[in-house]
């Protein structure tokens, strides 16, 4: 009986592993392996791609098929094959170098280069092919691989523990759907991450859903730069074209054209494109972008796309590859993302065919139908199935369209073995013992973190240099902020922050504690609580950092930081109420007291010292006269309640088993804030803010913020309750604030009335400097800014700024001019960070 069961099990296993299809290698006539060649069944989009070693596996139905094999620079090969049910047939393919016909075209004086004729015709058809498909769906296999070839031993004194070799290998299978112009839906049904059996792949088919007929190309891998399509209306400004010849394939003539960017720094691709004669559509693309042309995160990026006809002779990509090389800070490596697309269902844009009088000759019968209904597309653009990472090796052997290379097989095997070791208690303890060693650098510069990976509990202590600061209220200050964190599933579940502060001149000790608890749900729910006795800037957004204030006080003799004392307790709560609407609420009770300067110590010369009172000057309260009402106050007890709603219209999101990801909307984002004061204060405040980022193509990108606010009532307030605006009176720009003024004095124009605030910034990327000889090689980028404020006291205040960023990769320098009611006020340089 046992023998029968064993025999049955073995036979069943063989049937499971038996796959109907063909496998083999693809090589050139000289025996050279042709990696990532495309192979598919003629007349279908059932295809695959060879791996790095030129080996392939293609699942096919049983029977006779015509197999098509192609590789850039080689003639397409078609071969009849017979496949038996349940069998995998070994078939190797040898491709011949493409024989291009050049002599059939004779160019005489005054004749046009054939490449320009082809490109001109392709430009005419670009919009048609861009909108030719109204909707489609397919199965998408995405494979991502990062390989580190070189690494430094240390960076900033910290030992680098990552090894060379494959650092990321992941595969995913998704069902993908698209409807013009931008509706997408993706369901990841399979996910595999090397070395992380419980992990979920970050591969996403929608990230690579590029329409090659767009006039410009933009993608995260390209960075901020927008590249001009070789068939854009601007193509002849950016490119020269070389006609390499023409060849015949399945009765169609295919033009091979080399792309030659006119200037070395233009946002234009190098490479080769193939265009079908008379139809003027893309057949294959092989594009190259380099660092010299402005890509930021990689040294080079090669995009390779292969198209094949689907229903009604509509050509769709059946494979594409993004291949990149990178190098920074001593790291060098390479990687790629590879996509194979199959089982297409395509819905043409019938109206477009009718508009171009192509309907009757293209469609034999009235076959119009909607591929999708409205309910098929929701704000959820990606759903990762919970069981997607539970697929076993048998499943992947059956479903994987590209054979793994020997190196990849070994990576999966080794990392799966190592994972077991790394998750063991002894290994984790040994790693923690190494990481927990205390060094002089930890004490003085970087701080110290104690790890316990078994319990996922960590505690940190700041370095000595980060705890020291100076201000005229407290003198020399030690501000110690340790932290205790507990993680679950590698995500912070809760943290506790004690704060200990002592001023040597004021001889006052302060302390407080803050804590946060994070619910591991898909609503971003968090609770915060805290309390104690501490100092606070009048603007709780901290318009000047302790570091900058310390420098300005000790070196320049200017004390811009203004503080008051607060004994308080608070609770905060945040949660996404519905998709796109997130609520942030806070309730605080505080006893607030005035503080005064206790020291005038500075290293600045006496004639440079300009220390001012800790009660800042404000035009609304002082009425333009020092000593008027002023910003000082008696002890104030206040209960403050506030709530902010962040609204993203039509917010899209991805749902993963481990967490939810939200994406910025193409519409402006709104913030509605309500604040109410009780107790010794009595006021009501409301504000509405709109923000957005705009991609303006070749000319760069813009961002803006417009905010309108008002105190509906202000019966009783202290200066800390005012609406404050982030100003700046130092040469250093605040790097942690996006929307700020660069010449506006701190607190002078804070208001208890109605105000309008607006900021606009445009990043030209390399649109300007890449046209200037010599300067273009520095990869500088121009930026322009406009800041506006209107209050009862200031009237109409405007700042205009012009600057340069990407200096030494990260620095930014701006020059600003300010105007009040049209009259020039001040001007000056500002130094900041600009990547």
């Amino acid at each position: 009986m046992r023998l029968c069961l064993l025999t049955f099990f073995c036979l069943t296993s063989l049937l499971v592993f038996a796959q109907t299809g063909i496998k083999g290698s693809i090589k050139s006539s000289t025996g050279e392996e042709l990696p990532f060649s495309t192979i598919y069944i003629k007349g279908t989009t059932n295809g695959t791609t060879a791996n790095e070693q030129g080996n392939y596996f293609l699942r096919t139905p049983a029977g006779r098929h015509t197999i098509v094999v192609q590789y850039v620079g080689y003639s397409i090969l078609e071969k009849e094959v017979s496949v038996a049910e349940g069998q995998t047939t070994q078939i190797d393919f040898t491709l011949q170098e493409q024989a291009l016909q050049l002599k059939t075209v004779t160019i005489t004086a005054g004749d046009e280069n054939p490449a320009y004729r082809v490109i001109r015709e392709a430009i005419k058809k670009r919009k048609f092919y861009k909108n030719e498909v109204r909707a489609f769906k397919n199965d998408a296999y995405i494979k991502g691989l990062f390989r580190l070839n070189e690494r430094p031993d240390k960076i900033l004194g910290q030992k680098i523990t990552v090894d060379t070799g494959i650092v990321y290998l992941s595969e995913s299978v998704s069902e993908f759907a698209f409807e013009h112009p931008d509706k997408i839906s993706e369901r990841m049904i399979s996910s595999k991450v090397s070395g992380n059996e419980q992990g979920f792949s970050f591969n996403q088919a929608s990230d690579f859903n590029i329409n090659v007929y767009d006039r410009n190309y933009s993608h995260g891998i390209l960075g901020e730069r927008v590249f001009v399509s070789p068939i854009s209306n601007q193509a002849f400004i950016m490119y020269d074209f070389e006609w390499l010849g023409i060849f015949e394939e399945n009765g169609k003539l295919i033009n091979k054209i080399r792309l030659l960017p006119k200037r070395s720094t233009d946002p234009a691709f190098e490479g080769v494109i193939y265009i079908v004669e008379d139809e003027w559509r893309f057949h294959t693309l092989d594009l190259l972008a380099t660092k010299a042309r402005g890509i930021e995160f990689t040294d080079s990026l090669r995009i390779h796309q292969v198209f094949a006809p689907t229903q009604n002779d509509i050509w769709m990509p059946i494979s594409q590859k993004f291949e990149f090389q990178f190098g920074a800070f001593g790291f060098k490596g390479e990687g790629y993302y590879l996509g194979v697309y199959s089982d297409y269902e395509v819905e043409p844009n019938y109206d477009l065919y009718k508009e171009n009088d192509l309907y009757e000759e293209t469609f034999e019968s009235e076959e119009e139908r909607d591929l999708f209904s409205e309910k098929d597309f929701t704000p959820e653009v990606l759903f990762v199935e919970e069981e997607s990472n539970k697929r076993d090796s048998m499943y992947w052997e059956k479903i994987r369209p590209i054979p793994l290379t020997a190196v990849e097989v070994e990576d999966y095997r080794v990392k799966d073995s190592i994972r077991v070791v790394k998750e063991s208690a002894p290994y984790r303890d040994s790693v923690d013992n190494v990481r927990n060693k205390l060094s002089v650098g930890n004490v003085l510069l970087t701080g110290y973190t104690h790890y316990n990976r078994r319990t996922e509990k960590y505690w940190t202590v700041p370095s000595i240099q980060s705890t020291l600061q100076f201000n005229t209220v407290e003198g020399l200050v030690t501000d110690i902020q340790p932290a205790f964190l507990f993680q679950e599933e590698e995500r912070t579940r809760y943290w506790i922050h004690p704060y200990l502060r002592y001023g040597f001149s004021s001889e006052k000790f302060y302390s407080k504690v803050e804590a946060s608890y994070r619910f591991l749900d898909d609503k971003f729910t968090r609770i915060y609580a805290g309390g104690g006795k501490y100092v606070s800037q009048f603007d709780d957004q901290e318009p000047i950092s302790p570091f900058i204030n310390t420098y300005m006080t000790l070196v320049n003799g200017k004390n811009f930081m203004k503080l008051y004392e607060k004994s308080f307790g608070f609770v905060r709560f945040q949660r996404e109420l519905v998709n796109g609407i997130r609520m942030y609420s806070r309730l605080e009770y505080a006893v607030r007291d005035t503080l005064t300067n206790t020291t005038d110590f500075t290293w600045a010369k006496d004639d440079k010292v300009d220390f001012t009172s800790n009660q800042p000057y404000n035009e609304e309260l002082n009425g333009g006269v020092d000593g008027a009402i002023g910003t000082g106050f008696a002890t104030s007890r206040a209960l403050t309640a506030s709530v902010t709603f962040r609204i993203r219209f039509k917010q899209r999101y991805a749902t993963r088993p481990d967490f939810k990801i939200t994406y910025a909307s193409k519409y402006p984002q709104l913030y509605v804030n309500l604040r109410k004061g009780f107790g010794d204060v009595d006021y009501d405040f409301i504000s509405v803010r709109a923000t957005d980022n705009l991609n303006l193509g070749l000319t760069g990108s813009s961002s803006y913020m417009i905010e309108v606010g008002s105190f509906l009532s202000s019966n009783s307030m202290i200066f800390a309750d005012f609406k404050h605006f982030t100003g700046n009176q130092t040469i250093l720009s605040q790097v942690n604030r996006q929307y700020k003024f660069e010449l506006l004095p701190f607190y002078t124009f804070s208001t208890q009335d109605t105000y309008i605030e607006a900021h606009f910034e445009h990043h030209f990327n390399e649109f300007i400097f890449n046209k200037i000889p010599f300067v273009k090689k520095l990869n500088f980028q121009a930026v322009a800014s406009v800041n506006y404020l209107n209050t009862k006291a200031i009237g109409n205040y405007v700042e205009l700024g012009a600057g340069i960023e990407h200096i030494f990769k990260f620095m930014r320098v701006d020059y600003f001019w300010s105007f009040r009611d049209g009259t020039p006020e001040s001007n000056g340089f500002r130094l900041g960070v600009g990547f």
Side-chain angles (χ1 to χ4, degrees), residues 549-562:
N549 183 73
T550 298
Y551 173 81
M552 295 301 297
T553 303
L554 293 177
V555 178
N556 288 4
K558 300 181 186 298
N559 59 334
F560 293 124
M561 181 181 286
K562 306 301 178 183

Side-chain angles (χ1 to χ4, degrees), residues 470-528:
F470 190 91
N471 63 69
T472 55
V473 174
E474 301 168 283
L476 177 64
V477 174
T478 58
D479 192 356
I480 304 173
Q481 302 178 12
F484 302 88
L485 298 91
F486 170 74
Q487 291 188 334
E488 185 174 318
E489 299 174 2
E490 298 184 350
R491 291 189 289 166
T492 301
R493 188 71 184 244
Y494 66 79
W495 53 255
I496 301 173
H497 276 294
Y499 296 75
L500 305 171
R501 183 182 182 103
Y502 182 74
F504 286 89
S505 178
S506 65
E507 298 182 342
K508 284 190 175 183
F509 174 78
Y510 296 101
S511 65
K512 66 177 180 178
V513 62
E514 296 181 356
S516 170
Y517 183 84
R518 175 182 180 180
F519 295 82
L520 301 183
D521 59 11
D522 61 356
K523 296 294 184 182
F524 307 98
T525 308
R526 297 191 77 157
I527 297 175
Y528 303 81

Side-chain angles (χ1 to χ4, degrees), residues 201-212:
S201 175
F202 281 93
N203 298 346
Q204 198 166 330
S206 57
D207 287 341
F208 304 96
N209 182 40
I210 296 176
N211 191 330
V212 296

Side-chain angles (χ1 to χ4, degrees), residues 42-235:
K42 186 175 182 179
T44 75
T45 55
N46 178 14
T48 187
T49 300
N51 64 18
E52 286 184 274
Q53 298 168 340
N55 297 320
Y56 76 92
F57 171 75
L58 176 64
R59 285 187 302 277
T60 68
R64 293 188 63 80
H65 306 285
T66 301
I67 304 300
V68 181
V69 186
Q70 61 186 90
Y71 187 80
V72 173
Y74 288 79
S75 296
I76 194 168
L77 176 64
E78 293 188 6
K79 190 171 185 178
E80 292 282 337
V81 302
S82 294
V83 182
E85 181 68 40
Q87 292 187 7
T88 300
T89 304
Q90 176 81 26
I91 300 178
D92 298 326
F93 294 96
T94 300
L95 302 187
Q96 303 294 324
E97 287 193 26
Q98 219 157 44
L100 297 173
Q101 300 175 23
L102 295 172
K103 297 180 181 179
T104 56
V105 177
T106 302
I107 303 176
T108 59
D111 284 350
E112 184 179 41
N113 182 331
Y116 287 83
R117 175 189 64 84
V118 174
I119 295 298
R120 187 170 286 107
E121 295 294 339
I123 290 173
K124 293 178 185 177
K125 292 285 287 188
R126 182 187 66 82
K127 288 185 178 180
F128 176 85
Y129 288 127
K130 176 185 176 182
N131 301 303
E132 179 184 26
V133 175
R134 199 190 80 82
F136 71 85
K137 59 183 177 181
N138 63 24
D139 293 336
Y141 167 85
I142 306 293
K143 177 180 175 183
L145 183 146
F146 291 13
R147 182 184 288 110
L148 188 62
N149 298 326
E150 298 179 22
R151 67 167 179 83
D153 293 328
K154 291 183 178 181
I155 291 184
L156 299 177
Q158 298 297 309
K159 186 176 181 180
I160 303 301
T161 57
V162 64
D163 292 327
T164 55
I166 295 177
V167 294
Y168 175 79
L169 171 61
S170 177
E171 301 171 274
S172 65
V173 177
S174 298
E175 297 169 347
F176 182 74
F178 171 84
E179 185 174 271
H180 189 79
D182 60 0
K183 292 181 180 180
I184 58 175
S185 176
E186 182 176 354
R187 188 178 189 89
M188 187 181 294
I189 59 177
S190 307
S191 168
K192 187 174 179 66
V193 182
S194 181
N196 188 355
E197 189 178 60
Q198 302 303 315
F200 296 92
S201 175
F202 281 93
N203 298 346
Q204 198 166 330
S206 57
D207 287 341
F208 304 96
N209 182 40
I210 296 176
N211 191 330
V212 296
Y213 294 101
D214 285 334
R215 62 179 181 177
N216 298 318
Y217 292 179
S218 62
H219 194 279
I221 299 181
L222 290 170
E224 298 175 345
R225 205 84 195 269
V226 174
F227 276 64
V228 177
S229 165
I231 59 170
S232 163
N233 290 338
Q234 298 171 298

Side-chain angles (χ1 to χ4, degrees), residues 158 249 263 344 673:
Q158 298 297 309
E249 179 181 294
R263 291 162 290 272
Y344 272 98
N673 174 247

